[in-house]
Amino acid sequence: MATVVLARIDDRLIHGQVMTAWLQYVGANHIVIIDDETASDDFLKSIIEMAVPREIKLHIYHCEEAAAEIKKMSDDEKLMILAKVPESFLTVIETGLPLEKIIIGGMGANTKRTKFYKNISASDTERESFKKITAHGTKLVIHIIPDQQAVGVEEYLK
């Protein structure tokens, strides 16, 4: 099975920070996006495909199918898994793909979210998903860019 070198929640999915800082930092050769909306939108998928360097493989999956598809991947795959919301990762974990650590990156403010940590916002549902993810034994940290220190989320989930 492939090695997960980074699992990151970022509602922007593919953007400069992911492509320049994180991709190089973790040495991924394959990006997997787990998001039902994106997997169902051919136009959005084509835009994302254009943003990913040609030497990097890309797959975009619905949440329910992602764990099974990732388990089929070869051992030489180094995966960067991206999802817009924590519920996507929770589904992947609950459908059979254990993850050691998930990074909370960009989760911007919207009408359903309130401030979680500095410029990170989360809804009540997302906070519950964070708790469920950690209950599965997955470490959850806030880590915006590689050269900054990661921050644990335990105290923010009380």
Side-chain angles (χ1 to χ4, degrees):
M1 186 179 87
T3 302
V4 177
V5 294
L6 178 73
R8 178 179 168 90
I9 301 167
D10 191 323
D11 51 22
R12 299 170 292 172
L13 295 175
I14 299 289
H15 56 89
Q17 190 176 339
V18 168
M19 298 315 301
T20 59
W22 284 108
L23 192 60
Q24 184 177 19
Y25 182 74
V26 298
N29 61 10
H30 193 154
I31 295 173
V32 173
I33 293 174
I34 301 167
D35 183 67
D36 289 337
E37 179 185 346
T38 304
S40 298
D41 186 332
D42 289 337
F43 177 72
L44 186 53
K45 286 193 294 191
S46 69
I47 298 296
I48 290 171
E49 288 168 1
M50 288 188 279
V52 174
R54 291 177 191 212
E55 68 274 10
I56 304 296
K57 292 180 187 176
L58 172 69
H59 283 94
I60 302 171
Y61 296 117
H62 288 275
C63 299
E64 290 290 333
E65 68 182 339
E69 293 300 322
I70 290 168
K71 285 181 174 184
K72 294 178 193 174
M73 293 179 184
S74 68
D75 293 345
D76 62 337
E77 301 293 332
K78 295 178 183 171
L79 304 182
M80 175 189 289
I81 304 176
L82 304 172
K84 289 182 181 181
V85 293
E87 292 82 2
S88 298
F89 278 116
L90 181 58
T91 299
V92 169
I93 292 167
E94 289 177 342
T95 56
L97 184 70
L99 294 171
E100 185 177 320
K101 178 171 79 172
I102 297 172
I103 292 174
I104 300 171
M107 290 180 67
N110 66 32
T111 57
K112 295 178 183 176
R113 290 178 172 168
T114 57
K115 184 177 178 179
F116 181 68
Y117 173 84
K118 292 187 180 182
N119 64 340
I120 305 288
S121 297
S123 68
D124 291 341
T125 302
E126 290 166 332
R127 291 167 199 260
E128 285 304 311
S129 292
F130 291 156
K131 290 176 185 177
K132 290 176 183 175
I133 287 168
T134 60
H136 282 280
T138 301
K139 184 175 182 177
L140 195 58
V141 298
I142 298 166
H143 200 171
I144 307 302
I145 56 175
D147 57 356
Q148 285 182 343
Q149 188 72 14
V151 175
V153 299
E154 297 81 18
E155 68 180 272
Y156 302 102
L157 293 176
K158 295 177 182 175

